[in-house]
Amino acid sequence: MDTLLDLISQVICDMDQYGVCVVDNLLGEERGANILKEVYALERSGAFQDGQVVKQQQKLVKVGDTGTDYNNHQNGSHVSPIHPVRGDKIAWVDGREPICKNIAVLIALIDAIVMGANKIPNNGKLGSYTIKERTKAMVSCYPGSGTQYVKHVDNPNQDGRCITSIYYLNKDWDTKTNGGLLRIFPDGYANTVADIEPLFDRMLFFWSDRRNPHEVQPAFKTRFVINFEHSRTEIDTVPSTYSYDRMQSITV
């Protein structure tokens, strides 16, 4: 298992070089399966609604605001529904929901990675930002039948969002049969795309701005992901939950 410091170093290196970072086997089979069970429970509860195209930054919370510290768990803006653009169903959670205890651990870990990479010395391009907020976790379901999300940029208007993070929950996924590929068109790499298969327990990080236009290609099997966006927008209080000194010894 990689230590948290290893994960932070990988994110810094890959984001500097490619603008994209993929981490496989982030939490392990058992924890990933428990998160998937919670997503199924959210689906059964009726929490999912039609995905919407965000016009302004929404659902912001302070980084680390889940009531969960990863160190202890090692064992509304205006929107307009445009169905042809995105066909997913979504539910916003913050990790405090009774059925989201394992999702809360994931949220805490993603905060630890992103904030660690943002605060560590010699952190490359991430040093250009002061990250203090993120969206709530957006649990997303593409229910098959060719549902997709057409080519877009998460933050085309420089509203502060700087890093998009996506955790995949799809067991036994065959992209050739099931579709659902995430294709990134990275700026500066002419005639080159990054194709990301939505494999179980895979984590993806990439810049949220115009450097990374991307699309979700049609999915023909139910496809689950959890999305986050971290923002450099200033807030009044900066939580200290994930100071670099505390994160060095944590293992994932």
Side-chain angles (χ1 to χ4, degrees):
M1 300 287 283
D2 290 335
T3 66
L4 183 55
L5 186 56
D6 289 335
L7 293 171
I8 289 169
S9 297
Q10 181 180 346
V11 168
I12 291 171
C13 179
D14 289 354
M15 293 291 279
D16 262 13
Q17 186 169 0
Y18 309 111
V20 175
C21 176
V22 176
V23 178
D24 285 324
N25 305 312
L26 179 72
L27 292 171
E29 172 71 26
E30 183 178 358
R31 179 75 76 179
N34 287 336
I35 290 174
L36 183 56
K37 288 178 183 177
E38 293 178 352
V39 170
Y40 288 149
L42 285 170
E43 185 181 34
R44 289 193 300 270
S45 75
F48 285 90
Q49 300 178 349
D50 287 343
Q52 299 166 316
V53 177
V54 179
K55 291 184 177 179
Q56 298 176 9
Q57 193 171 359
Q58 66 173 331
K59 309 275 184 190
L60 283 177
V61 297
K62 298 176 184 178
V63 172
D65 187 14
T66 64
T68 300
D69 181 352
Y70 184 72
N71 190 45
N72 295 325
H73 288 80
Q74 295 181 61
N75 289 325
S77 62
H78 298 291
V79 295
S80 61
I82 305 178
H83 299 285
V85 174
R86 62 183 297 182
D88 58 335
K89 307 285 186 178
I90 63 172
W92 295 97
V93 301
D94 63 11
R96 297 179 184 274
E97 298 82 359
I99 61 173
C100 293
K101 293 180 179 179
N102 289 281
I103 293 175
V105 175
L106 172 66
I107 294 171
L109 174 57
I110 301 310
D111 280 350
I113 294 171
V114 173
M115 294 304 292
N118 187 228
K119 292 180 179 180
I120 192 173
N122 303 314
N123 58 352
K125 294 176 182 177
L126 275 160
S128 302
Y129 303 99
T130 301
I131 298 173
K132 296 182 179 179
E133 294 177 336
R134 62 162 163 74
T135 58
K136 290 184 177 182
M138 185 181 74
V139 185
S140 179
C141 170
Y142 289 79
S145 304
T147 47
Q148 63 181 317
Y149 197 158
V150 301
K151 186 177 178 181
H152 65 284
V153 173
D154 288 344
N155 177 17
N157 301 316
Q158 299 181 335
D159 63 11
R161 289 173 290 163
C162 53
I163 297 177
T164 296
S165 309
I166 304 175
Y167 181 69
Y168 294 102
L169 287 159
N170 309 294
K171 292 188 174 184
D172 304 317
W173 192 270
D174 180 353
T175 302
K176 291 182 179 179
T177 302
N178 307 137
L181 186 78
L182 178 73
R183 173 162 287 178
I184 301 176
F185 304 84
D187 183 51
Y189 290 87
N191 303 314
T192 300
V193 297
D195 287 342
I196 312 297
E197 297 186 25
L199 304 181
F200 179 78
D201 201 28
R202 168 172 282 180
M203 191 74 216
L204 170 67
F205 302 88
F206 59 90
W207 302 119
S208 303
D209 58 23
R210 293 181 182 274
R211 285 173 284 186
N212 283 314
H214 55 283
E215 66 186 13
V216 177
Q217 296 184 352
F220 302 99
K221 177 181 176 181
T222 302
R223 177 186 186 275
F224 288 109
V225 304
I226 302 179
N227 299 65
F228 311 85
E229 291 176 342
H230 281 78
S231 172
R232 68 176 184 269
T233 302
E234 298 292 328
I235 57 177
D236 293 334
T237 304
V238 183
S240 58
T241 304
Y242 302 119
S243 67
Y244 174 60
D245 288 340
R246 293 187 60 189
M247 291 190 292
Q248 292 184 81
S249 63
I250 299 174
T251 58
V252 179

